[in-house]
Amino acid sequence: MKAARVLAVRGATLFGVLIASLLLVIVVLGATGVSDRMIGSIVNEQVREMRQSLAQTIRDPDQLEKVVSEQQQHLISFYGLDRPWYTRLPDMVWRVLTLDLGSARTLKSFEGSTRVSDIVLERLPNTIILVTTALVISAVIGLYVGVKLATRVGSRLDRSMSYLSAASYALPTWWVGILLILVLSFQIRLFPFGGIISAPAPQDPLARASDVVWHAALPVATLVVASVGSWAYAVRTMVLNTAQEDFVTAARAKGLPEGVVMRRHIIRVAAPPILTNIVLGLAASLGGAILTETVFNWPGMGRLYFDAIMALDENVIVALTFMFTVLYVLARFVLEVLYIMLDPRVRY
Amino acid sequence: MSRRAKNVLKELLSTGSGKVGAAFFITLVIISVGVIVAYPANFGLRYWSNPVLWADNPQVAPPSWTNLFNSEKHLETKVFESTGQAERLPEPGAMRIIYRFNLDYAADEAPSFTSLTVQNVSYRDRPPIITVTVQRPDGKSISLYQLIVSGPRPGEQPPFRRYYDTPFRVRLSGEPNVASAVSDFLEQQFSVSISDQDLLVKGVDQAVFGVPDGYGGFMVLKGNYTVRVDALLYNQSDSVGHLKYVMGGSVFGLLGTDTLGRDLSVGLLFGFPVALFIGLVTSVVTTFIGTVTGIVSGYIGGKTDTAIQRASDILANIPLLPILIFLAFIVGQNLFIIILILIAFGWPGLTILIRSMVLQIRSGNLVEATTTLGASKSRIMFRHIFPQTAPFVFAQMIFSTPAAILAEASLSFLGLGDPSLPTWGQILEAGFQNGGVYVGYWWWILPPGLLIVITAMTFVLLALALEPVVNPRLRRVQ
């Protein structure tokens, strides 16, 4: 079972990636003293609350001070603040790995919960809507255009597309978004400035859905514009590379129709690198989503990340950095599985 | 220049994209060198972030050339300074120095503000008196403002020096005394009575540069105005160093201003060397590390190879932007730290590619021959293997340059840029944060983004032109 071994090795590496980025985040937090400050402020907050409630029952000030300082010591050792940060490391890694993401300091979910997992779960679907739609659209356009270009290498269309895809690579996602807002929202007033749904949300489910689509149009367009060019170009190059292999010439010599050569001999072989591109595109649009959601005020994970930075909400920042890595690693793993399915050389 | 490098250059310039890219690149370098020579080293903190320096510019003014497309003509900011001829008029026991600033007022709006700045006054006996008078095209004139320079402090010895360190600046438009002078003027000349307060709200300059329209407002009065600034000095050795009268417009310069009145063209020019620095330093160092580790990993093999490959596998798979944001947020918003992070996560991709190339080269005849001749490992790696990867490495270096520029711009756009110097991303972020998209401050948002795109494009075009060098298969068909 070679496939299983390959998968196991890749899985282990990707798990290593996950642990490495988690360690990176936690070590940076610990070594810069941010972690101590975070926990310190949690302890202080709890001690303050405790003092208030105890003051109701204990009248003697000395007695009160004694009880409070006892409790404070208890809390400090409970959170491990009396130990150096690196001894807390295994606990923290375990806590985050088991998806115990803690609670936010200032941010809240729309329902009012401060648990990070509540906040994230609320935002996750919104990001998925945005990123997946954009990915599907750019993949379809990119594949179609890329294959078209590869059959007409050197034509005027091919050359102008090369420039366009270069431009697309050089376009910062967020700037595309800003341009679209300036032109289509500000000047022509065709689309909303941002958000996911109109302020009094329509009640009718159909109207609701179309309202979301109307709001999603610009952010999706932004993500597509920023990625479709490099897509088409990568597909073109890969198809072109494969088209010069000897077996393609042989297939043509056999007299196979051009369509069959393209589908069975070229695209089939060029598929794994194209898939890599899809997944790398997914990873990039994850980053792009942070910026696009910020520009369009789209209530997804990217916008949450931005808000967390602005509010200095460390727990949310750590949790989201972790979540982004998990999503990325999962995508890579799916890719590995697809590789095995597509490339017989890996399977046997 | 070696033959190989010459060939690469020839290949580069043989394509259209290569020519355009090279032209852009040379332009970028020339502008950057010019900026480095012309700008002070501490431009960011000392000048860009110092609101005092920009106080006399109109705020969020679009570029002047927008007037060409408007039927209504906006006023361009006009600055009058006391250089050159001044009229000297002796008076009993005093000397009056008169500066006249003439202008043909043609705009369809009143100035957005007017201000007077006085600098370097010194006197011996009595404090000088400085007055501002506006003579209008309709023959009427308004005495707007009178400044009596502050008197001697107890124990202070003459000559008394005033406004040397910090110039004295007064915004005439917001000055209650000016409002009351204008209110009196309107009462006497036009029999219109408006209280000082109302006048301050409506805008004093509306009345100074206009006539009442009969509905409680004012119409702009076009024609020749003379702004007269008098300095009355009481001693031969008294002097007024520098006077400045500013009439704030609503359009400004080539690229307009931001909410602090900063000239955007000045900040954007400064962005050129910064962007090139970020891009080039990151790509050169990244490529260097990636190439060395790739060659070592591929040639030495064994445990070294495994260690390098595992490390680069992991680093190359960490999603960059979230980690970059996190690190910039925690470790600090410093340009060098940002560059360091970009390098730390940038090299592994190249390592993996170079290694696979080296594995092929290693099994070739050349390496076998030199090994038999007894060449040392390092000699083989850097005299025989490296040259064969060089064109690819060079192309990769160019290709990775825009990524660094775009990454810094993205960080800046999220508000995590280095606050000590303005970058294009930061200027754009400021425009976005100030609601530029929703109120249409396009001149604040389009140019910085366009510059980022052009700079990134330059390197992408060069990389495109280099592709046949790297991938000879593509050359065969073209």
Side-chain angles (χ1 to χ4, degrees):
Chain A
M1 284 303 283
K2 199 182 167 197
R5 233 192 71 210
V6 170
L7 266 191
V9 170
R10 287 306 293 167
T13 310
L14 289 174
F15 189 71
V17 169
L18 192 59
I19 297 291
S21 55
L22 202 56
L23 278 181
L24 179 77
V25 168
I26 291 175
V27 167
V28 167
L29 281 178
T32 50
V34 172
S35 163
D36 285 346
R37 283 208 301 278
M38 260 162 73
I39 300 178
S41 69
I42 295 174
V43 169
N44 286 340
E45 179 67 15
Q46 292 195 356
V47 166
R48 199 182 56 80
E49 275 172 20
M50 196 182 301
R51 188 193 299 277
Q52 271 179 354
S53 64
L54 283 178
Q56 308 289 326
T57 49
I58 306 174
R59 293 287 172 205
D60 179 21
D62 290 339
Q63 179 78 16
L64 178 68
E65 277 313 307
K66 201 166 147 261
V67 174
V68 167
S69 76
E70 244 170 45
Q71 288 296 327
Q72 185 168 12
Q73 281 311 314
H74 177 70
L75 277 175
I76 285 177
S77 66
F78 175 75
Y79 283 110
L81 202 58
D82 50 350
R83 290 175 285 149
W85 62 269
Y86 42 85
T87 56
R88 300 194 297 262
L89 215 83
D91 287 353
M92 275 165 100
V93 174
W94 181 247
R95 201 166 56 81
V96 181
L97 274 182
T98 49
L99 291 181
D100 177 9
L101 300 176
S103 44
R105 227 162 37 140
T106 48
L107 297 173
K108 281 196 170 77
S109 74
F110 304 121
E111 310 233 299
S113 164
T114 57
R115 282 170 45 99
V116 175
S117 50
D118 286 351
I119 304 178
V120 169
L121 282 180
E122 219 175 40
R123 306 278 191 129
L124 191 58
N126 294 346
T127 292
I128 291 176
I129 292 180
L130 202 64
V131 173
T132 331
T133 318
L135 187 74
V136 169
I137 295 177
S138 12
V140 169
I141 299 180
L143 275 172
Y144 181 77
V145 175
V147 171
K148 259 254 146 18
L149 292 181
T151 56
R152 305 181 195 173
V153 174
S155 67
R156 187 175 297 163
L157 179 75
D158 179 40
R159 261 175 293 155
S160 49
M161 270 309 291
S162 295
Y163 285 106
L164 276 184
S165 55
S168 163
Y169 175 74
L171 279 174
T173 324
W174 36 276
W175 196 60
V176 177
I178 287 176
L179 276 187
L180 288 179
I181 294 183
L182 266 181
V183 175
L184 295 177
S185 300
F186 182 73
Q187 286 290 338
I188 310 183
R189 304 195 174 273
L190 203 59
F191 289 101
F193 282 99
I196 189 171
I197 201 153
S198 302
Q203 288 305 312
D204 176 41
L206 197 67
R208 234 182 135 81
S210 62
D211 193 55
V212 171
V213 170
W214 183 53
H215 278 81
L218 284 190
V220 166
T222 303
L223 284 171
V224 169
V225 168
S227 65
V228 77
S230 47
W231 257 95
Y233 196 73
V235 170
R236 164 192 176 271
T237 310
M238 286 161 200
V239 169
L240 212 55
N241 270 336
T242 324
Q244 291 176 39
E245 297 281 358
D246 292 337
F247 61 81
V248 176
T249 321
R252 288 216 176 93
K254 273 197 295 194
L256 288 182
E258 194 53 35
V260 175
V261 175
M262 189 47 106
R263 274 199 311 276
R264 293 233 190 109
H265 291 80
I266 299 181
I267 295 184
R268 179 76 200 268
V269 176
I274 290 175
L275 260 182
T276 314
N277 207 47
I278 295 195
V279 172
L280 291 183
L282 186 69
S285 55
L286 214 60
I290 296 179
L291 298 158
T292 312
E293 286 178 8
T294 306
V295 172
F296 287 96
N297 209 359
W298 183 267
M301 302 228 306
R303 173 75 211 177
L304 183 65
Y305 203 49
F306 181 75
D307 288 343
I309 291 168
M310 290 296 149
L312 301 183
D313 203 323
E314 291 96 340
N315 266 1
V316 182
I317 296 176
V318 175
L320 282 180
T321 312
F322 172 70
M323 292 293 292
F324 282 126
T325 317
V326 168
L327 284 180
Y328 183 88
V329 165
L330 279 180
R332 291 301 294 231
F333 194 73
V334 169
L335 173 77
E336 296 301 333
V337 175
L338 283 176
Y339 261 179
I340 290 178
M341 283 164 63
L342 279 169
D343 192 342
R345 281 171 299 186
V346 184
R347 201 167 8 177
Y348 300 112
Chain B
M1 202 188 289
S2 75
R3 205 166 52 85
R4 189 184 287 273
K6 236 179 216 161
N7 280 344
V8 169
L9 202 65
K10 217 175 103 192
E11 184 85 42
L12 185 74
L13 292 177
S14 70
T15 56
S17 67
K19 282 195 197 90
V20 176
F24 275 21
F25 182 68
I26 291 168
T27 317
L28 288 180
V29 170
I30 290 173
I31 294 177
S32 299
V33 171
V35 167
I36 292 171
V37 172
Y39 278 49
N42 52 359
F43 170 78
L45 289 175
R46 190 74 196 284
Y47 295 87
W48 188 251
S49 310
N50 185 357
V52 177
L53 289 174
W54 310 98
D56 272 336
N57 285 354
Q59 290 158 1
V60 282
S64 309
W65 48 262
T66 50
N67 260 345
L68 296 175
F69 308 102
N70 276 333
S71 51
E72 225 172 82
K73 250 177 90 68
H74 290 285
L75 179 67
E76 268 182 62
T77 299
K78 293 207 165 52
V79 179
F80 300 104
E81 286 179 275
S82 62
T83 46
Q85 70 275 49
E87 203 179 313
R88 293 180 158 263
L89 206 70
E91 282 188 14
M95 169 69 77
R96 181 179 291 274
I97 301 176
I98 305 169
Y99 299 95
R100 287 175 205 278
F101 305 133
N102 298 312
L103 84 148
D104 182 14
Y105 201 94
D108 291 311
E109 59 178 7
S112 55
F113 69 89
T114 49
S115 77
L116 176 75
T117 308
V118 183
Q119 206 174 352
N120 300 356
V121 177
S122 90
Y123 67 92
R124 297 192 85 84
D125 314 330
R126 290 178 58 187
I129 298 173
I130 294 167
T131 54
V132 180
T133 315
V134 174
Q135 285 164 352
R136 299 158 34 116
D138 57 3
K140 300 180 168 67
S141 86
I142 317 173
S143 292
L144 274 187
Y145 183 71
Q146 183 179 54
L147 167 69
I148 304 174
V149 175
S150 58
R153 284 182 287 271
E156 198 186 7
Q157 291 302 315
F160 307 108
R161 290 154 63 87
R162 294 288 180 269
Y163 317 135
Y164 271 82
D165 296 330
T166 22
F168 172 84
R169 177 180 183 271
V170 58
R171 217 178 114 93
L172 298 172
S173 321
E175 182 66 25
N177 293 335
V178 174
S180 94
V182 173
S183 174
D184 291 349
F185 166 82
L186 289 172
E187 182 77 59
Q188 283 163 19
Q189 300 288 337
F190 296 102
S191 318
V192 171
S193 62
I194 298 182
S195 77
D196 301 3
Q197 274 313 315
D198 286 353
L199 210 51
L200 279 176
V201 172
K202 263 197 183 96
V204 173
D205 296 304
Q206 299 253 351
V208 178
F209 294 92
V211 287
D213 63 1
Y215 303 102
F218 298 93
M219 268 180 342
V220 179
L221 179 66
K222 296 183 187 181
N224 286 310
Y225 283 82
T226 302
V227 178
R228 194 178 124 175
V229 182
D230 292 19
L232 196 60
L233 309 176
Y234 294 96
N235 189 304
Q236 284 300 318
S237 61
D238 290 2
S239 70
V240 173
H242 188 237
L243 284 168
K244 187 164 84 164
Y245 174 84
V246 176
M247 189 182 278
S250 62
V251 289
F252 188 90
L254 191 63
L255 290 172
T257 61
D258 66 8
T259 37
L260 292 174
R262 296 188 286 203
D263 184 347
L264 287 171
S265 61
V266 173
L268 290 175
L269 269 179
F270 188 75
F272 277 92
V274 178
L276 274 194
F277 179 76
I278 296 166
L280 291 178
V281 167
T282 312
S283 67
V284 168
V285 179
T286 307
T287 316
F288 178 76
I289 299 177
T291 312
V292 171
T293 49
I295 292 179
V296 168
S297 177
Y299 185 70
I300 306 278
K303 284 205 177 100
T304 322
D305 183 31
T306 318
I308 292 179
Q309 285 312 303
R310 284 301 139 258
S312 35
D313 255 0
I314 287 175
L315 278 180
N317 276 309
I318 290 177
L320 182 60
L321 192 66
I323 291 288
L324 195 59
I325 292 170
F326 172 79
L327 288 176
F329 166 71
I330 298 288
V331 184
Q333 284 133 290
N334 178 303
L335 193 64
F336 292 97
I337 292 180
I338 293 172
I339 290 179
L340 210 65
I341 300 169
L342 286 173
I343 291 170
F345 290 95
W347 61 269
L350 189 61
T351 305
I352 297 170
L353 286 172
I354 295 282
R355 173 179 173 269
S356 64
M357 291 179 76
V358 171
L359 285 181
Q360 266 181 8
I361 299 170
R362 191 175 68 166
S363 54
N365 295 337
L366 176 71
V367 172
E368 199 181 326
T370 34
T371 315
T372 334
L373 284 173
S376 72
K377 278 186 175 171
S378 60
R379 189 179 166 84
I380 292 174
M381 282 193 284
F382 296 105
R383 290 302 297 267
H384 300 290
I385 296 182
F386 171 69
Q388 298 190 50
T389 61
F392 177 76
V393 166
F394 184 63
Q396 277 296 317
M397 191 169 86
I398 290 178
F399 193 68
S400 68
T401 306
I405 295 174
L406 292 174
E408 191 279 334
S410 301
L411 267 191
S412 292
F413 178 71
L414 289 175
L416 291 169
D418 188 332
S420 70
L421 34 103
T423 63
W424 295 331
Q426 283 179 40
I427 291 174
L428 214 158
E429 187 250 338
F432 184 71
Q433 289 296 331
N434 279 292
V437 187
Y438 311 112
V439 283
Y441 299 152
W442 54 268
W443 63 92
W444 193 354
I445 284 170
L446 296 188
L450 208 58
L451 287 174
I452 294 171
V453 173
I454 290 175
T455 310
M457 264 304 267
T458 304
F459 291 98
V460 177
L461 286 174
L462 288 176
L464 266 184
L466 279 176
E467 215 181 354
V469 180
V470 181
N471 194 347
R473 275 187 168 178
L474 290 176
R475 191 162 23 182
R476 241 194 290 161
V477 276
Q478 270 163 357

